[in-house]
């Protein structure tokens, strides 16, 4: 697993570098208040900012603890000119059998609306489809998260249903989307993504 920390993607002026424990303070400091964190994590009582910081650390270590060959979560810090813009995650369960990945991401407020979300998603999809042998990518977002849904649709994702999901004390609709490899190949002949550090962990990821 240590080899995963050396994985890095380069797409034009964006660098996606595997998140390490040393990145967590900076990520906690830049995380926008509107980014939803896993409510199942214990967090911390009292100060809301301390609570969110605790959840960032807890999620990072839970991902590390739950990862094994073929079942993993890869968070990448997204940087431009050395400045953190957000985080992009790629994850899989039983990848060798299902050949399916999921994505999640967030951006600092000042980096939104510039096409960065689309470019960083495309970078991890290139890793999944072109280098790991994925056949399907899936994602989901709240029905009112037009930015995330817009990125997915612009990349060729297709509708994959709607389901009810707990939201605070109530519930709301979550939209699912799906990108098969055929749609990826049809639409994505753009600039290549440079990938460093993959040889050392490819077998672990694709098991």
């Amino acid at each position: 697993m240590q080899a995963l920390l050396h994985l890095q993607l380069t797409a034009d002026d964006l660098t996606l570098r595997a998140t390490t424990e040393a990145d967590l303070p900076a990520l906690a400091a830049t995380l926008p208040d509107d980014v939803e964190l896993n409510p199942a994590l214990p967090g911390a009582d009292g100060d809301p900012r301390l609570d969110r910081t605790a959840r960032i650390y807890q999620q990072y270590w839970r991902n590390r603890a739950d990862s094994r060959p073929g079942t993993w979560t890869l968070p990448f810090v997204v940087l431009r000119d050395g400045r953190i813009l957000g985080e992009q995650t790629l994850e899989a369960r039983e990848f060798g059998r299902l050949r399916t990945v999921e994505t999640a991401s967030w951006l600092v407020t000042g980096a939104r609306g510039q096409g960065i979300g689309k470019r960083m998603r495309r970078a991890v999809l290139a890793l999944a489809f072109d280098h790991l042998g994925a056949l399907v990518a899936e994602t989901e977002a709240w029905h009112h998260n037009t930015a995330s849904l817009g990125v997915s649709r612009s990349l060729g994702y297709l509708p994959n249903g709607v389901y009810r999901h707990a939201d605070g004390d109530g519930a709301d609709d979550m939209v699912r989307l799906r990108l098969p490899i055929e749609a990826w190949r049809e639409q994505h002949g753009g600039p290549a993504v440079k990938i460093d550090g993959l040889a050392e962990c490819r077998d672990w990821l694709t098991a």
Side-chain angles (χ1 to χ4, degrees), residues 164-175:
R164 297 289 282 173
H165 192 285
D167 184 13
D169 295 330
D172 207 343
D173 288 343
M174 189 74 78
V175 178

Side-chain angles (χ1 to χ4, degrees), residues 3-25:
L4 297 174
L5 300 180
H6 302 293
L7 196 56
Q8 179 171 296
L9 317 180
T10 306
D12 297 325
D13 62 343
L14 294 184
T15 298
L16 284 73
R17 174 177 53 72
T19 303
T20 69
E21 184 181 8
D23 295 312
L24 300 183

Side-chain angles (χ1 to χ4, degrees), residues 70-71 93-100 205-207:
T71 294
R93 298 291 177 266
E94 297 186 67
F95 183 86
R97 182 178 359 186
L98 302 179
R99 307 279 290 280
T100 299
L205 293 170
T206 58

Side-chain angles (χ1 to χ4, degrees), residues 22-31 57 84 106:
D23 295 312
L24 300 183
L27 290 172
T30 56
L31 182 76
Y57 278 77
I84 292 178
W106 60 266

Side-chain angles (χ1 to χ4, degrees), residues 34-50:
D34 61 353
V35 174
E36 184 175 20
L37 298 175
N38 186 349
L41 296 171
D45 292 331
D47 183 355
R49 173 52 64 175
L50 180 60

Side-chain angles (χ1 to χ4, degrees), residues 12 42 50 57 64 66 70 89 112 117 152 157 161 171 173 176 180 189 191:
D12 297 325
L50 180 60
Y57 278 77
R64 292 289 303 272
D66 290 346
T89 299
R112 297 174 183 176
S152 299
Y157 283 76
D173 288 343
R176 287 176 167 151

Side-chain angles (χ1 to χ4, degrees), residues 60-138:
Y60 176 81
W61 285 112
R62 176 175 287 192
N63 290 341
R64 292 289 303 272
D66 290 346
S67 290
R68 60 186 187 273
T71 294
W72 38 263
T73 300
L74 296 179
F76 292 93
V77 177
V78 181
L79 305 110
R80 184 172 62 186
D81 298 327
R83 185 171 69 89
I84 292 178
L85 301 181
E87 192 172 42
Q88 173 71 59
T89 299
L90 182 72
E91 61 184 289
R93 298 291 177 266
E94 297 186 67
F95 183 86
R97 182 178 359 186
L98 302 179
R99 307 279 290 280
T100 299
V101 296
E102 297 185 29
T103 60
S105 65
W106 60 266
L107 277 170
V108 298
T109 306
R112 297 174 183 176
Q114 303 173 36
I116 295 171
K118 181 176 179 179
R119 292 166 57 205
M120 62 198 221
R121 175 103 64 97
R122 186 189 289 124
V124 294
L125 291 176
L127 169 63
F129 283 120
D130 301 338
H131 296 272
L132 299 181
L135 298 178
V136 176
E138 297 178 336

